[in-house]
Amino acid sequence: MTNSAPIPAPTDPTRTPAWAHLDQLAEDFYPDLRHWFEADPQRARTWSFTAADLWVDLSKNLIDQEIVAALLELARETGVEEHRDRMFRGDRINVTENRAVLHTALRRPAGDVVEVDGANVVPDVHEVLNRMYDFADRVRSGQVTGISGKKLTSIVNIGIGGSDLGPVMVYEALRPYVDPELSCEFISNIDPNDAGEVVSRLDPETTLVIVTSKTFTTLETLTNARVVREWLLRSLRERGLVTDDANAAEAVERHFVAVSTALDRVAEFGIDPANAFGFWDWVGGRYSVDSAVGLSLAIALGPENFRDLLAGFHAMDQHFQNAPAAENVPLLMGLINVWYTGFLGADTHAVLPYSQYLHRFPAYLQQLTMESNGKSVRWDGSPVSYDTGEVFWGEPGTNGQHAFYQLIHQGTRLVPADFIAFANPTHDFRDGDNDMHELFLSNFFAQTKALAFGKTIDEVRAEGTPETIAPARVFGGNRPTTSIMGDRLNPRALGELIALYEHITFVQGAVWGIDSFDQWGVELGKVLAQQILPAVAGNKEVLAEQDPSTRSLIEYYREHRRH
């Protein structure tokens, strides 16, 4: 039975003894990674851990035993583990929306029990998964066809936020596992150029459109869906495949499906409700890629690979739920992030995957982390008096090395960075006698070494560098990094990696006492956009109601817009 009792008020972390201890440690803190490694030959072994199938090296972080002990005490004093247990059992920890937070239930094996309001949700999850797998198999086999009888080979996912970022990221990360006869396209931005570029690459006879919106009211998604529907019908009319209204209705039913629980709105759009796949209000958008939101992935990758993806999620869930605190990687990484933001002044966090397939992973994490923890009030409504969240950003190596690594190495800002790599490549090329993947990973290893240990002025001088330019070639070192490695980037490993960051985000939010699962900050601009739209379209009365800056911008637009 779900615990329906009110969630206890959060603890102000700054009023805990552990926070005071960490404040004192930070005041006297002078990191010296060179000395620490020289003094402790076992440092790398001490601070390296296995989490599911991932190997995580924390040894190049600005931590020692006393700091980590104080961080673990902070977790105890702020009730992180108790809050974690509330999440896993289905308590309504999303306080402002009075919802459970159960993305972890999406990857629970059949037969498990997780109750919400007295009902086990796991059978419902697997009922939807089985419907997804059945539909995916029928599309992949050609049993489901478009109106002309051709196999549907281009899958278009229309969504935004978590309904786009997750599927795009996973699709790009797992391209080697995509059926070679299938391809996915993604439309999210309300900018007409987004839809325009996608449909220019499509054959309407072989296109399957998935409209992903839980409520089927999302402005961007429904606007794009209507635009693509009109494109599809117009194109089919031009080919003589749609000749009347009944025929048009059949075309929409054959070429459109929905990921939504609003079956009435789905039907009103023209999609057969039998082809609607639902998810639940206890699944936040940025945590939903392993739900029906991943339907495009189940089709493109196939059900077996999607099951492996879910298994990876679940493996990391089990680690987070069961590993001892001192060996619990999401807990430790989340606490170390709190150390950097709360005590060492870090404002940003770089994620640097040494895998081109993960080129969308930093963008995915931007929503996961910043929409979750970009809050200035605690879950009881009281204001925070400390920094929350950090700006997540990044690009794949080695591209980033030739762009922004300069600032990380020699700039004035502290930028903790996570480096991600895999031992085995998907494509194994050689450049003459050189193994290309070994050259690539040599950069991965070298960058974290350079950031940690730097290069002293004496070392620069010993190379014969002229004194006038020697200071420019000094690397201060003591730039913190975490190294995350896996055997190979496959569906299971990707699931583990995503869940790792989900739980890191959770830990930080729990320490700060904030609700990491609402996102009210995205609402005001959306509401104002609807209020301003008449002015943009030419309504002078609404235009006059705007502030001077907004009014002048709209006037400029109106003067220069050519229809």
Side-chain angles (χ1 to χ4, degrees), residues 8-41:
T11 299
D12 183 340
T14 65
R15 298 184 178 181
T16 62
W19 191 279
H21 187 193
L22 287 162
D23 251 340
Q24 181 183 11
L25 292 173
E27 186 175 342
D28 302 326
F29 187 61
Y30 298 99
D32 190 347
L33 285 168
R34 282 196 179 202
H35 174 73
W36 292 348
F37 273 90
E38 290 169 0
D40 180 10

Side-chain angles (χ1 to χ4, degrees), residues 259-368:
V259 175
S260 178
T261 52
L263 297 185
D264 54 341
R265 296 191 181 101
V266 167
E268 183 181 341
F269 183 90
I271 297 173
D272 184 349
N275 288 331
F277 301 83
F279 56 115
W280 304 269
D281 66 2
W282 38 259
V283 181
R286 56 195 175 276
Y287 298 91
S288 66
V289 69
D290 45 347
S291 71
V293 168
L295 179 61
S296 60
L297 304 172
I299 297 170
L301 301 171
E304 194 57 39
N305 284 319
F306 197 83
R307 289 188 185 97
D308 287 346
L309 178 72
L310 298 185
F313 274 101
H314 184 60
M316 188 60 69
D317 292 345
Q318 290 183 302
H319 172 82
F320 180 50
Q321 194 171 14
N322 299 318
E327 303 168 15
N328 194 307
V329 172
L331 178 63
L332 292 170
M333 290 182 69
L335 291 171
I336 291 170
N337 287 354
V338 170
W339 167 242
Y340 291 140
T341 58
F343 302 92
L344 300 188
D347 294 317
T348 78
H349 193 113
V351 179
L352 309 170
Y354 277 66
S355 170
Q356 186 62 30
Y357 286 120
L358 287 174
H359 70 104
R360 293 295 292 166
F361 191 60
Y364 174 80
L365 291 185
Q366 286 173 353
Q367 186 196 26
L368 173 65

Side-chain angles (χ1 to χ4, degrees), residues 56 98 122 178 208 225-226 238 256 269 321 364 476 550 561:
V56 181
N98 193 30
V122 177
V178 173
L208 174 68
R226 289 190 294 268
E238 291 171 355
F256 279 76
F269 183 90
Q321 194 171 14
Y364 174 80
T550 302
R561 177 72 161 99

Side-chain angles (χ1 to χ4, degrees), residues 513-530:
I514 58 179
D515 185 343
S516 297
F517 303 99
D518 61 10
Q519 57 279 332
W520 296 107
V522 307
E523 295 300 319
L524 178 58
K526 291 162 62 175
V527 171
L528 289 178
Q530 290 296 301

Side-chain angles (χ1 to χ4, degrees), residues 94-112:
N94 181 350
V95 174
T96 70
E97 296 178 299
N98 193 30
R99 293 174 178 173
V101 174
L102 276 176
H103 47 280
T104 56
L106 297 171
R107 50 263 196 161
R108 295 288 285 260
D112 278 10

